[in-house]
Amino acid sequence: GLVGCEDGNGGRAYLKKYFWSITARVLKLSWLFYEGGSRGAKAIRPFLEKFIGFYTTDGYICYKVFDITDEELAKLESPPLEGIKKRSACLVHIRRLFVNALEENFDEAMWFIDRMGMIFAKEHGFKEQKLTNDERYLSRLKPGSTADLMRSIEERLSEYALSDDAGCGELLKKALRYARAEWPAMKRVLESGDVEISNNISEQSVRKLKMNLRNAGNIGSESSAADNAFMYSVIESCRLNDIDPGKYISFLLGKLKTAREGEDLTGLLPCYCGL
């Protein structure tokens, strides 16, 4: 979004700056933050350094800073001291490039889109059935389910790779290369039912902020950008925990009045406060 920044001459210039969004599905917490408008790895690295487990992202290079394949992991004499992190890819972002390629090679692009649509339909069915994460994991591995569909896509991607994507236009080549690069991470969904097949949950958490930016046109200053991110973090975290934001803020301010310096306030987070 456009953010008002000091131009060094006492004036203000509206520059394109970036916001970040992280959603912890298990904890039911949302972080939106503004790190000086930076899109670089320095903004996201502190969060990933402390994280252990699976995280789902698109293929942006900064998210891959801790990427490690199963083959590389197996060669290690001992696990990394900071804990094992496994990045899972986003099927929405993979599919999007094939949608872009429809105008160029409809039949081939549609083949991939159809298979990915089947995976999304399976996942929707699991949610409709209200499966636990363990049940979802087992359901993904059943014949004809997610694992088989993903295997068919991987085989097709490999066939194209062997021919060096012969006969494909530039848009389809771009889609195929992105999919091949992301597929090892995409298969993380077959390792745990905790892992989502897309980062839609996090994308949805910033929808209100994006709509506000579109309507307002800009945010007046960098301090306001940071304040906006904090505000939406509180609101979205409350939403994830079915808590009224006004009620939560009133509760929080009351508790902060009596808080002592250095006191651990983790219990005041929306996911722990018990409202």
Side-chain angles (χ1 to χ4, degrees):
L2 292 177
V3 177
C5 305
E6 294 183 5
D7 62 7
N9 298 313
R12 178 172 296 177
Y14 285 89
L15 306 177
K16 185 177 182 180
K17 296 288 186 173
Y18 294 91
F19 293 81
W20 296 76
S21 170
I22 302 173
T23 300
R25 187 179 66 82
V26 177
L27 275 179
K28 295 184 179 180
L29 284 177
S30 180
W31 291 270
L32 277 76
F33 61 99
Y34 179 84
E35 194 66 34
S38 171
R39 199 185 179 205
K42 66 177 183 180
I44 193 65
R45 191 180 185 98
F47 289 88
L48 296 181
E49 279 179 335
K50 300 174 183 179
F51 181 76
I52 297 174
F54 295 93
Y55 63 102
T56 303
T57 77
D58 60 36
Y60 180 44
I61 188 65
C62 287
Y63 298 133
K64 298 182 179 184
V65 65
F66 293 108
D67 255 0
I68 184 169
T69 66
D70 290 331
E71 291 76 14
E72 291 169 335
L73 194 58
K75 292 177 182 178
L76 298 178
E77 294 183 5
S78 58
L81 293 177
E82 71 274 13
I84 297 173
K85 315 169 203 302
K86 294 185 177 182
R87 188 183 73 88
S88 177
C90 172
L91 194 59
V92 169
H93 283 81
I94 294 173
R95 183 178 63 175
R96 189 173 296 161
L97 293 179
F98 286 100
V99 172
N100 294 343
L102 282 171
E103 62 184 81
E104 183 181 78
N105 193 324
F106 182 87
D107 290 339
E108 289 306 308
M110 201 65 208
W111 187 93
F112 287 97
I113 293 169
D114 281 343
R115 290 337 183 259
M116 293 177 195
M118 293 177 192
I119 294 174
F120 281 111
K122 292 287 184 185
E123 293 295 314
H124 179 72
F126 300 155
K127 289 183 179 179
E128 288 286 301
Q129 298 169 50
K130 297 182 179 179
L131 300 184
T132 65
N133 290 332
D134 288 341
E135 290 170 338
R136 179 162 67 165
Y137 165 71
L138 294 173
S139 294
R140 284 173 174 170
L141 301 180
K142 289 180 179 178
S145 192
T146 308
D148 282 348
L149 288 166
M150 291 185 69
R151 191 175 300 111
S152 69
I153 294 172
E154 184 174 19
E155 290 170 356
R156 188 81 162 215
L157 290 171
S158 297
E159 290 172 7
Y160 273 106
L162 288 173
S163 70
D164 197 26
D165 301 329
C168 299
E170 288 305 311
L171 291 176
L172 186 55
K173 284 182 180 179
K174 183 178 180 180
L176 291 167
R177 290 167 184 170
Y178 181 83
R180 282 195 293 266
E182 287 292 275
W183 211 251
M186 191 68 245
K187 290 195 294 183
R188 295 294 187 198
V189 301
L190 304 179
E191 297 180 29
S192 171
D194 287 327
V195 187
E196 298 291 335
I197 64 170
S198 76
N199 66 350
N200 275 353
I201 293 175
S202 194
E203 296 247 348
Q204 289 166 4
S205 73
V206 294
R207 184 168 296 166
K208 294 184 181 70
L209 176 60
K210 290 165 76 173
M211 287 176 62
N212 183 57
L213 283 169
R214 189 178 299 120
N215 293 332
N218 61 67
I219 292 179
S221 67
E222 294 206 87
S223 62
S224 292
D227 290 343
N228 267 264
F230 173 75
M231 177 183 69
Y232 280 102
S233 296
V234 172
I235 292 172
E236 284 302 309
S237 293
C238 286
R239 185 184 65 80
L240 291 172
N241 289 277
D242 296 320
I243 297 173
D244 176 76
K247 182 180 179 180
Y248 173 73
I249 291 171
S250 177
F251 157 82
L252 183 62
L253 292 175
K255 292 291 185 180
L256 291 177
K257 284 181 180 179
T258 58
R260 298 184 300 275
E261 186 175 351
E263 182 180 352
D264 184 1
L265 302 177
T266 304
L268 302 184
L269 289 169
C271 59
Y272 297 128
C273 70
L275 288 180

